[in-house]
Amino acid sequence: QVQLVESGGGLVQPGGSLRLSCAASVTIFSFSAMAWYRQGRRNQRELVARITLGDIITYGDSVKGRFTIARDNDKNTVYLQMNSLKPDDTAVYYCNALRGSSNMNYWGKGTLVTVSL
């Protein structure tokens, strides 16, 4: 059974940094893509960043230049480095994995990031 466990959320001041981790219970080579989504005040889940098996990376417009997604295949973990955080980045951040062979989507339970003074 696939499990995705996020960690690294918390309270940070504007301009600060956090690094989120998403640990998978299976090899991440089994996924065609892994991504981070967030759900904030507007209650709409939006794409933050995605990395494919071929290391093609996509970022949401609001985080380009500030966030970086990376994968560690040996640790079956995907990271999201978040810099220059803004109050609008406050949200629950979810890890997502897509298994292309079956078109199955997997989600973690989320980790809360709060950007505030």
Side-chain angles (χ1 to χ4, degrees), residues 5-48:
V5 179
E6 302 98 334
S7 61
L11 174 64
V12 63
Q13 292 186 353
S17 297
L18 278 177
R19 189 177 79 155
L20 305 184
S21 300
C22 170
S25 60
V26 299
T27 173
I28 59 176
F29 281 121
S30 66
F31 303 122
S32 54
M34 294 192 72
W36 288 95
Y37 285 77
R38 68 185 181 186
Q39 193 162 354
R41 245 171 287 175
R42 296 171 194 162
N43 224 31
Q44 198 171 353
R45 195 169 290 195
E46 63 171 341
L47 174 69
V48 176

Short mmCIF file of all heavy atoms in Angstrom, two decimals, residues 5-48:
data_model
loop_
_atom_site.label_atom_id
_atom_site.label_comp_id
_atom_site.label_asym_id
_atom_site.label_seq_id
_atom_site.Cartn_x
_atom_site.Cartn_y
_atom_site.Cartn_z
N VAL A 5 4.11 10.54 3.42
CA VAL A 5 4.09 11.23 4.71
C VAL A 5 4.87 12.53 4.59
O VAL A 5 6.08 12.53 4.33
CB VAL A 5 4.71 10.34 5.81
CG1 VAL A 5 4.70 11.09 7.14
CG2 VAL A 5 3.94 9.03 5.92
N GLU A 6 4.16 13.63 4.80
CA GLU A 6 4.78 14.95 4.73
C GLU A 6 5.30 15.36 6.11
O GLU A 6 4.73 14.96 7.14
CB GLU A 6 3.79 16.02 4.26
CG GLU A 6 3.14 15.76 2.91
CD GLU A 6 1.77 15.16 3.03
OE1 GLU A 6 1.49 14.50 4.04
OE2 GLU A 6 0.97 15.34 2.08
N SER A 7 6.33 16.17 6.09
CA SER A 7 6.85 16.74 7.34
C SER A 7 7.55 18.06 7.00
O SER A 7 7.82 18.35 5.83
CB SER A 7 7.82 15.78 8.02
OG SER A 7 8.93 15.50 7.20
N GLY A 8 7.82 18.83 8.05
CA GLY A 8 8.58 20.07 7.86
C GLY A 8 7.77 21.34 7.93
O GLY A 8 8.33 22.44 7.88
N GLY A 9 6.46 21.23 8.06
CA GLY A 9 5.64 22.43 8.16
C GLY A 9 5.82 23.11 9.51
O GLY A 9 6.44 22.57 10.43
N GLY A 10 5.26 24.31 9.60
CA GLY A 10 5.35 25.03 10.87
C GLY A 10 5.08 26.50 10.67
O GLY A 10 4.59 26.93 9.62
N LEU A 11 5.42 27.27 11.69
CA LEU A 11 5.22 28.72 11.67
C LEU A 11 6.54 29.39 11.32
O LEU A 11 7.58 29.08 11.92
CB LEU A 11 4.74 29.19 13.04
CG LEU A 11 4.63 30.69 13.26
CD1 LEU A 11 3.57 31.29 12.34
CD2 LEU A 11 4.29 30.99 14.73
N VAL A 12 6.49 30.31 10.37
CA VAL A 12 7.69 31.03 9.96
C VAL A 12 7.32 32.47 9.67
O VAL A 12 6.18 32.76 9.27
CB VAL A 12 8.33 30.35 8.72
CG1 VAL A 12 7.40 30.40 7.52
CG2 VAL A 12 9.68 30.94 8.39
N GLN A 13 8.26 33.37 9.89
CA GLN A 13 8.01 34.78 9.62
C GLN A 13 8.13 35.08 8.14
O GLN A 13 8.84 34.36 7.40
CB GLN A 13 9.00 35.64 10.40
CG GLN A 13 8.79 35.58 11.90
CD GLN A 13 9.70 36.56 12.63
OE1 GLN A 13 10.58 37.20 12.04
NE2 GLN A 13 9.48 36.71 13.93
N PRO A 14 7.48 36.12 7.67
CA PRO A 14 7.64 36.52 6.26
C PRO A 14 9.11 36.72 5.92
O PRO A 14 9.87 37.29 6.72
CB PRO A 14 6.86 37.84 6.19
CG PRO A 14 5.83 37.71 7.26
CD PRO A 14 6.49 36.95 8.38
N GLY A 15 9.50 36.24 4.75
CA GLY A 15 10.90 36.30 4.33
C GLY A 15 11.71 35.09 4.74
O GLY A 15 12.85 34.92 4.28
N GLY A 16 11.15 34.25 5.58
CA GLY A 16 11.87 33.08 6.07
C GLY A 16 11.81 31.90 5.11
O GLY A 16 11.26 32.00 4.01
N SER A 17 12.38 30.79 5.56
CA SER A 17 12.47 29.59 4.72
C SER A 17 12.01 28.37 5.51
O SER A 17 12.10 28.33 6.74
CB SER A 17 13.93 29.36 4.28
OG SER A 17 14.39 30.42 3.49
N LEU A 18 11.51 27.39 4.75
CA LEU A 18 11.18 26.08 5.31
C LEU A 18 11.49 25.04 4.24
O LEU A 18 11.43 25.35 3.04
CB LEU A 18 9.68 25.97 5.65
CG LEU A 18 9.17 26.55 6.97
CD1 LEU A 18 7.66 26.38 7.04
CD2 LEU A 18 9.84 25.89 8.17
N ARG A 19 11.77 23.82 4.70
CA ARG A 19 11.92 22.72 3.76
C ARG A 19 10.94 21.61 4.13
O ARG A 19 10.97 21.09 5.25
CB ARG A 19 13.34 22.15 3.75
CG ARG A 19 13.55 21.15 2.62
CD ARG A 19 14.95 20.63 2.53
NE ARG A 19 15.23 19.60 3.51
CZ ARG A 19 16.17 18.66 3.37
NH1 ARG A 19 16.91 18.64 2.27
NH2 ARG A 19 16.38 17.76 4.33
N LEU A 20 10.08 21.29 3.19
CA LEU A 20 9.13 20.20 3.38
C LEU A 20 9.69 18.92 2.81
O LEU A 20 10.41 18.95 1.81
CB LEU A 20 7.79 20.52 2.70
CG LEU A 20 7.11 21.84 3.08
CD1 LEU A 20 5.76 21.94 2.37
CD2 LEU A 20 6.95 21.97 4.57
N SER A 21 9.33 17.82 3.45
CA SER A 21 9.75 16.50 2.96
C SER A 21 8.52 15.63 2.74
O SER A 21 7.54 15.75 3.49
CB SER A 21 10.66 15.82 3.98
OG SER A 21 11.82 16.57 4.22
N CYS A 22 8.59 14.78 1.75
CA CYS A 22 7.53 13.80 1.50
C CYS A 22 8.20 12.45 1.34
O CYS A 22 8.91 12.21 0.34
CB CYS A 22 6.76 14.16 0.24
SG CYS A 22 5.62 12.86 -0.30
N ALA A 23 8.00 11.59 2.31
CA ALA A 23 8.60 10.26 2.28
C ALA A 23 7.58 9.25 1.78
O ALA A 23 6.46 9.17 2.31
CB ALA A 23 9.08 9.88 3.67
N ALA A 24 7.97 8.49 0.77
CA ALA A 24 7.08 7.48 0.20
C ALA A 24 7.41 6.10 0.78
O ALA A 24 8.57 5.81 1.07
CB ALA A 24 7.21 7.45 -1.32
N SER A 25 6.39 5.27 0.89
CA SER A 25 6.57 3.93 1.46
C SER A 25 7.04 2.93 0.41
O SER A 25 7.34 1.78 0.74
CB SER A 25 5.26 3.43 2.08
OG SER A 25 4.24 3.38 1.09
N VAL A 26 7.08 3.39 -0.85
CA VAL A 26 7.56 2.54 -1.94
C VAL A 26 8.60 3.32 -2.73
O VAL A 26 8.75 4.53 -2.54
CB VAL A 26 6.40 2.11 -2.87
CG1 VAL A 26 5.38 1.30 -2.08
CG2 VAL A 26 5.74 3.31 -3.53
N THR A 27 9.28 2.64 -3.62
CA THR A 27 10.27 3.34 -4.42
C THR A 27 9.60 4.42 -5.28
O THR A 27 8.57 4.17 -5.91
CB THR A 27 11.04 2.38 -5.32
OG1 THR A 27 11.89 3.15 -6.20
CG2 THR A 27 10.12 1.52 -6.17
N ILE A 28 10.18 5.61 -5.29
CA ILE A 28 9.55 6.69 -6.07
C ILE A 28 9.77 6.51 -7.57
O ILE A 28 9.20 7.23 -8.37
CB ILE A 28 10.01 8.08 -5.59
CG1 ILE A 28 11.52 8.26 -5.71
CG2 ILE A 28 9.53 8.34 -4.18
CD1 ILE A 28 12.00 9.66 -5.34
N PHE A 29 10.57 5.53 -7.93
CA PHE A 29 10.72 5.19 -9.35
C PHE A 29 9.41 4.63 -9.91
O PHE A 29 9.24 4.56 -11.13
CB PHE A 29 11.85 4.18 -9.55
CG PHE A 29 13.21 4.79 -9.53
CD1 PHE A 29 14.14 4.38 -8.59
CD2 PHE A 29 13.57 5.77 -10.43
CE1 PHE A 29 15.41 4.94 -8.55
CE2 PHE A 29 14.84 6.34 -10.40
CZ PHE A 29 15.76 5.92 -9.45
N SER A 30 8.50 4.21 -9.02
CA SER A 30 7.24 3.65 -9.48
C SER A 30 6.23 4.72 -9.87
O SER A 30 5.15 4.40 -10.37
CB SER A 30 6.64 2.74 -8.40
OG SER A 30 6.28 3.50 -7.26
N PHE A 31 6.60 5.98 -9.65
CA PHE A 31 5.70 7.09 -9.98
C PHE A 31 6.21 7.84 -11.19
O PHE A 31 7.39 8.15 -11.29
CB PHE A 31 5.58 8.04 -8.79
CG PHE A 31 5.11 7.39 -7.53
CD1 PHE A 31 5.90 7.43 -6.39
CD2 PHE A 31 3.91 6.72 -7.47
CE1 PHE A 31 5.49 6.83 -5.21
CE2 PHE A 31 3.48 6.12 -6.31
CZ PHE A 31 4.27 6.17 -5.17
N SER A 32 5.30 8.20 -12.07
CA SER A 32 5.70 8.98 -13.23
C SER A 32 5.95 10.44 -12.85
O SER A 32 6.69 11.14 -13.54
CB SER A 32 4.65 8.87 -14.33
OG SER A 32 3.38 9.25 -13.82
N ALA A 33 5.32 10.87 -11.79
CA ALA A 33 5.54 12.24 -11.33
C ALA A 33 5.20 12.34 -9.86
O ALA A 33 4.33 11.62 -9.36
CB ALA A 33 4.69 13.24 -12.11
N MET A 34 5.88 13.25 -9.18
CA MET A 34 5.53 13.59 -7.80
C MET A 34 5.40 15.11 -7.73
O MET A 34 6.07 15.84 -8.46
CB MET A 34 6.58 13.07 -6.83
CG MET A 34 6.63 11.55 -6.80
SD MET A 34 7.59 10.91 -5.44
CE MET A 34 6.51 11.25 -4.04
N ALA A 35 4.52 15.54 -6.83
CA ALA A 35 4.22 16.97 -6.81
C ALA A 35 3.84 17.42 -5.42
O ALA A 35 3.52 16.62 -4.54
CB ALA A 35 3.07 17.27 -7.78
N TRP A 36 3.88 18.73 -5.26
CA TRP A 36 3.35 19.39 -4.07
C TRP A 36 2.19 20.27 -4.51
O TRP A 36 2.30 21.02 -5.48
CB TRP A 36 4.42 20.25 -3.41
CG TRP A 36 5.49 19.47 -2.72
CD1 TRP A 36 6.70 19.10 -3.22
CD2 TRP A 36 5.44 18.98 -1.37
NE1 TRP A 36 7.41 18.39 -2.28
CE2 TRP A 36 6.66 18.31 -1.13
CE3 TRP A 36 4.51 19.03 -0.35
CZ2 TRP A 36 6.96 17.71 0.09
CZ3 TRP A 36 4.79 18.43 0.87
CH2 TRP A 36 6.00 17.78 1.08
N TYR A 37 1.10 20.15 -3.77
CA TYR A 37 -0.06 21.02 -3.94
C TYR A 37 -0.29 21.73 -2.61
O TYR A 37 0.22 21.31 -1.57
CB TYR A 37 -1.31 20.21 -4.30
CG TYR A 37 -1.34 19.71 -5.72
CD1 TYR A 37 -0.59 18.59 -6.10
CD2 TYR A 37 -2.14 20.32 -6.67
CE1 TYR A 37 -0.63 18.11 -7.40
CE2 TYR A 37 -2.19 19.85 -7.99
CZ TYR A 37 -1.43 18.74 -8.33
OH TYR A 37 -1.48 18.28 -9.62
N ARG A 38 -1.07 22.79 -2.66
CA ARG A 38 -1.44 23.47 -1.41
C ARG A 38 -2.88 23.92 -1.47
O ARG A 38 -3.43 24.15 -2.55
CB ARG A 38 -0.51 24.64 -1.12
CG ARG A 38 -0.64 25.81 -2.09
CD ARG A 38 0.41 26.86 -1.77
NE ARG A 38 0.31 28.02 -2.65
CZ ARG A 38 1.19 29.03 -2.66
NH1 ARG A 38 2.23 29.01 -1.84
NH2 ARG A 38 1.02 30.03 -3.49
N GLN A 39 -3.45 24.01 -0.29
CA GLN A 39 -4.83 24.46 -0.15
C GLN A 39 -4.84 25.52 0.93
O GLN A 39 -4.61 25.24 2.10
CB GLN A 39 -5.74 23.30 0.21
CG GLN A 39 -7.21 23.60 0.08
CD GLN A 39 -8.04 22.33 0.00
OE1 GLN A 39 -7.51 21.22 -0.05
NE2 GLN A 39 -9.35 22.47 0.01
N GLY A 40 -5.11 26.75 0.52
CA GLY A 40 -5.05 27.86 1.45
C GLY A 40 -6.41 28.45 1.75
O GLY A 40 -7.42 27.76 1.71
N ARG A 41 -6.40 29.75 2.03
CA ARG A 41 -7.60 30.45 2.46
C ARG A 41 -8.74 30.34 1.45
O ARG A 41 -9.90 30.27 1.81
CB ARG A 41 -7.27 31.93 2.68
CG ARG A 41 -7.42 32.38 4.11
CD ARG A 41 -6.87 33.76 4.29
NE ARG A 41 -5.43 33.78 4.23
CZ ARG A 41 -4.71 34.91 4.26
NH1 ARG A 41 -5.28 36.07 4.30
NH2 ARG A 41 -3.40 34.86 4.23
N ARG A 42 -8.41 30.38 0.18
CA ARG A 42 -9.44 30.33 -0.86
C ARG A 42 -10.00 28.92 -1.03
O ARG A 42 -10.89 28.70 -1.84
CB ARG A 42 -8.88 30.83 -2.19
CG ARG A 42 -8.48 32.28 -2.14
CD ARG A 42 -7.73 32.68 -3.39
NE ARG A 42 -7.07 33.96 -3.20
CZ ARG A 42 -6.09 34.42 -3.95
NH1 ARG A 42 -5.64 33.70 -4.95
NH2 ARG A 42 -5.54 35.59 -3.72
N ASN A 43 -9.41 27.98 -0.30
CA ASN A 43 -9.92 26.60 -0.29
C ASN A 43 -9.83 25.90 -1.63
O ASN A 43 -10.56 24.94 -1.87
CB ASN A 43 -11.36 26.57 0.22
CG ASN A 43 -11.57 25.45 1.21
OD1 ASN A 43 -10.64 25.07 1.92
ND2 ASN A 43 -12.75 24.89 1.23
N GLN A 44 -8.97 26.39 -2.50
CA GLN A 44 -8.78 25.76 -3.80
C GLN A 44 -7.41 25.12 -3.81
O GLN A 44 -6.42 25.77 -3.50
CB GLN A 44 -8.87 26.82 -4.90
CG GLN A 44 -9.13 26.28 -6.27
CD GLN A 44 -9.42 27.40 -7.26
OE1 GLN A 44 -9.55 28.56 -6.87
NE2 GLN A 44 -9.52 27.07 -8.52
N ARG A 45 -7.34 23.84 -4.16
CA ARG A 45 -6.05 23.16 -4.17
C ARG A 45 -5.32 23.54 -5.45
O ARG A 45 -5.85 23.39 -6.55
CB ARG A 45 -6.25 21.64 -4.09
CG ARG A 45 -4.98 20.90 -3.74
CD ARG A 45 -5.24 19.45 -3.40
NE ARG A 45 -5.93 19.29 -2.13
CZ ARG A 45 -6.02 18.14 -1.47
NH1 ARG A 45 -5.50 17.05 -1.99
NH2 ARG A 45 -6.67 18.07 -0.32
N GLU A 46 -4.12 24.04 -5.30
CA GLU A 46 -3.36 24.48 -6.46
C GLU A 46 -2.01 23.79 -6.52
O GLU A 46 -1.43 23.45 -5.48
CB GLU A 46 -3.15 26.01 -6.44
CG GLU A 46 -2.35 26.52 -5.28
CD GLU A 46 -1.99 28.00 -5.40
OE1 GLU A 46 -2.04 28.54 -6.51
OE2 GLU A 46 -1.62 28.59 -4.36
N LEU A 47 -1.51 23.62 -7.73
CA LEU A 47 -0.20 23.02 -7.93
C LEU A 47 0.88 23.99 -7.48
O LEU A 47 0.89 25.16 -7.90
CB LEU A 47 0.01 22.65 -9.39
CG LEU A 47 1.41 22.14 -9.75
CD1 LEU A 47 1.66 20.78 -9.14
CD2 LEU A 47 1.60 22.10 -11.26
N VAL A 48 1.81 23.50 -6.68
CA VAL A 48 2.96 24.29 -6.26
C VAL A 48 4.16 23.93 -7.13
O VAL A 48 4.81 24.79 -7.71
CB VAL A 48 3.29 24.07 -4.78
CG1 VAL A 48 4.55 24.83 -4.38
CG2 VAL A 48 2.10 24.47 -3.91
#
